[in-house]
Amino acid sequence: MCIRDRIKTVFNELKNELDLIELIDEHLLDKLHKPQLFLSLFSEKLLTHWADERQQKIFRILLLEQFSTHGLNIKVDYASEKSKEVWIIIFNEMMQHKIIKKQNIEIVSNEFIAPLFFIRFKYLSSTTDSNLPTALREAAQHVEYFWNSIKI
């Protein structure tokens, strides 16, 4: 396999790894009637997924590529945009069913996702010094604070 084909393969693998939609499975969807629990379970599932050694390596590549002018040209924006699209739909449905306050759904989505990426950066970006328990604790605090700010 030539270098160009290998780079394309790595790029496609990275795109697939960054697509977080598959984390929202039937078990999680069954919890939508309890939105705070749904948000908590998703956060736990996401951070546990990110704590995987392969995910940590992918994240390091992603961080390096963020500022690269050569190479794979994959950006953090891609990862956050894919997640944001799903959360815009979820929060819009919650707003339509009067579960959350009426507000700008894109901002609500960003306010939910951004702290999770920060927690990932802070606690799960190293394969030698990863701290999943602390990340999960901070995520739980984030979800509680976030939910209290948007619920009706």
Side-chain angles (χ1 to χ4, degrees):
M1 181 184 299
C2 72
I3 293 175
R4 183 178 179 185
D5 291 340
R6 181 68 185 134
I7 288 173
K8 282 184 179 179
T9 301
V10 170
F11 180 74
N12 287 332
E13 285 179 17
L14 281 172
K15 278 191 159 183
N16 290 338
E17 291 289 338
L18 295 172
D19 191 358
L20 303 175
I21 295 170
E22 76 273 359
L23 293 178
I24 301 177
D25 58 14
E26 287 300 318
H27 172 71
L28 196 55
L29 288 173
D30 287 343
K31 306 298 184 221
L32 272 171
H33 66 284
K34 295 183 178 179
Q36 185 175 2
L37 177 61
F38 174 78
L39 297 173
S40 292
L41 291 174
F42 175 81
S43 297
E44 287 176 22
K45 193 170 188 175
L46 179 62
L47 291 173
T48 302
H49 173 74
W50 282 341
D52 176 74
E53 185 178 347
R54 177 178 166 84
Q55 286 295 315
Q56 291 171 338
K57 289 177 182 178
I58 288 169
F59 188 59
R60 282 198 304 271
I61 291 170
L62 184 64
L63 289 175
L64 290 172
E65 284 298 313
Q66 181 66 32
F67 304 103
S68 174
T69 56
H70 301 79
L72 299 175
N73 195 27
I74 190 165
K75 304 294 183 197
V76 171
D77 293 1
Y78 178 83
S80 62
E81 287 302 314
K82 295 296 282 184
S83 296
K84 189 167 75 171
E85 290 172 15
V86 172
W87 287 104
I88 285 173
I89 293 168
I90 291 169
F91 290 128
N92 190 47
E93 286 298 313
M94 288 182 183
M95 190 173 67
Q96 296 300 321
H97 288 88
K98 298 183 183 350
I99 296 170
I100 64 172
K101 299 171 189 171
K102 190 170 183 166
Q103 51 197 313
N104 183 316
I105 294 301
E106 191 167 329
I107 293 173
V108 171
S109 177
N110 285 337
E111 287 180 354
F112 177 66
I113 295 166
L116 297 176
F117 276 91
F118 178 75
I119 290 167
R120 178 186 196 182
F121 180 75
K122 187 173 179 182
Y123 296 110
L124 304 176
S125 60
S126 169
T127 55
T128 58
D129 195 24
S130 182
N131 192 342
L132 182 59
T134 303
L136 292 173
R137 203 167 31 258
E138 281 203 18
Q141 291 170 347
H142 161 61
V143 168
E144 182 177 358
Y145 177 82
F146 174 78
W147 178 248
N148 287 332
S149 71
I150 66 167
K151 70 180 181 180
I152 291 182

